[in-house]
Amino acid sequence: MIRVLIADDHALARSGLSAMLGVQPDIEVVGMTADGAEAVADARRLRPDLVLMDIRMPKMDGIEATRRIRGEPDAPAVLVLTTFDLDQYVYEALRAGAGGFLLKDAPPGQLAEAVRTVAGGQALLAPAVTRRLIERFLSVPPGGGAALERLTDREREVLTHVGWGRSNAEIAEALHLSEATVKTHLSRVLTKTGLRDRVAAVVFAYEQGLVRVGEATRRSPG
């Protein structure tokens, strides 16, 4: 059972999200809160598997709440709710440790699947959300850095493909490798760079200049 804490300052939004998740046989809503400070406290008290986090809340916004929650030992995953076109803080939420994003108007099935994905330790990179967010809000500094230089050529290549938003299967096909080998290379990339997860790897690829704004869309398969 996936235990979920909902943090949103709108009562109707909390109720709607709870109703959509409550009908899922493998998801349990263990708490709801209206501000970021309470979300941090409730995450410690309730020990959920995932926090569904709004960005704009009183007392403490969702970015700072995410940073504090993800900084705790055995921290739950965080799935950020965003309106995308209005929120200009999404990139900071990535840096704070969010595992992915969900648009507020997502249908029930997509919401449940996003919860399962992020709670399972995978990044929700899909594609049109995460990539467009990064391309819109990220200013890319010059490439380089000690962490990048610790990577082998193949590891850099895999990281670049991750930055383009490709799945392990797509990377394996493009580089003529097995998926297991791609996973191994990605694991080494995360270890050598100290990155948390795949979302952080995408941000890092942009920051280091391996991927340029707009390039992900042009390079993506299909």
Side-chain angles (χ1 to χ4, degrees):
M1 186 69 70
I2 301 171
R3 293 163 47 81
V4 176
L5 170 65
I6 297 172
D8 194 299
D9 62 331
H10 294 288
L12 286 177
R14 292 195 303 273
S15 298
L17 291 167
S18 179
M20 286 190 285
L21 293 176
V23 299
Q24 301 297 321
D26 58 337
I27 298 174
E28 177 187 7
V29 176
V30 296
M32 294 190 289
T33 182
D35 68 70
E38 288 182 4
V40 175
D42 285 350
R44 290 171 181 159
R45 179 175 60 86
L46 298 172
R47 310 290 295 175
D49 300 303
L50 179 139
V51 180
L52 195 56
M53 182 78 74
D54 189 17
I55 289 182
R56 297 177 177 182
M57 292 185 291
K59 297 184 182 179
M60 181 186 296
D61 64 34
I63 295 171
E64 181 59 27
T66 295
R67 183 176 293 111
R68 296 193 185 190
I69 288 171
R70 292 293 294 160
E72 297 277 341
D74 301 318
V78 175
L79 177 59
V80 169
L81 294 167
T82 178
T83 52
F84 177 64
D85 287 329
L86 298 177
D87 291 329
Q88 299 185 10
Y89 314 106
V90 183
Y91 175 61
E92 289 304 318
L94 275 173
R95 297 182 66 91
F101 296 93
L102 187 69
L103 297 180
K104 282 195 169 183
D105 59 358
Q110 186 177 342
L111 170 64
E113 191 56 39
V115 167
R116 294 185 185 101
T117 297
V118 176
Q122 301 179 60
L124 188 67
L125 282 180
V129 176
T130 303
R131 186 164 61 225
R132 285 173 59 199
L133 288 169
I134 292 173
E135 290 181 358
R136 181 169 178 174
F137 298 120
L138 176 60
S139 298
V140 181
L148 186 63
E149 292 178 3
R150 287 196 289 269
L151 304 182
T152 66
D153 289 343
R154 178 61 86 183
E155 289 163 356
R156 283 196 195 200
E157 198 170 16
V158 168
L159 175 59
T160 300
H161 282 265
V162 169
W164 288 336
R166 290 181 171 176
S167 66
N168 287 348
E170 290 169 338
I171 297 171
E173 181 179 359
L175 300 182
H176 307 289
L177 301 171
S178 69
E179 285 191 53
T181 299
V182 171
K183 289 179 182 178
T184 297
H185 284 309
L186 180 55
S187 177
R188 289 173 180 165
V189 167
L190 298 180
T191 298
K192 289 181 179 181
T193 57
L195 298 170
R196 286 182 299 266
D197 51 34
R198 198 182 191 96
V199 171
V202 172
V203 175
F204 182 75
Y206 274 83
E207 287 182 325
Q208 299 304 320
L210 294 177
V211 178
R212 299 290 179 181
V213 173
E215 189 175 39
T217 301
R218 295 195 302 271
R219 300 270 185 152
S220 292

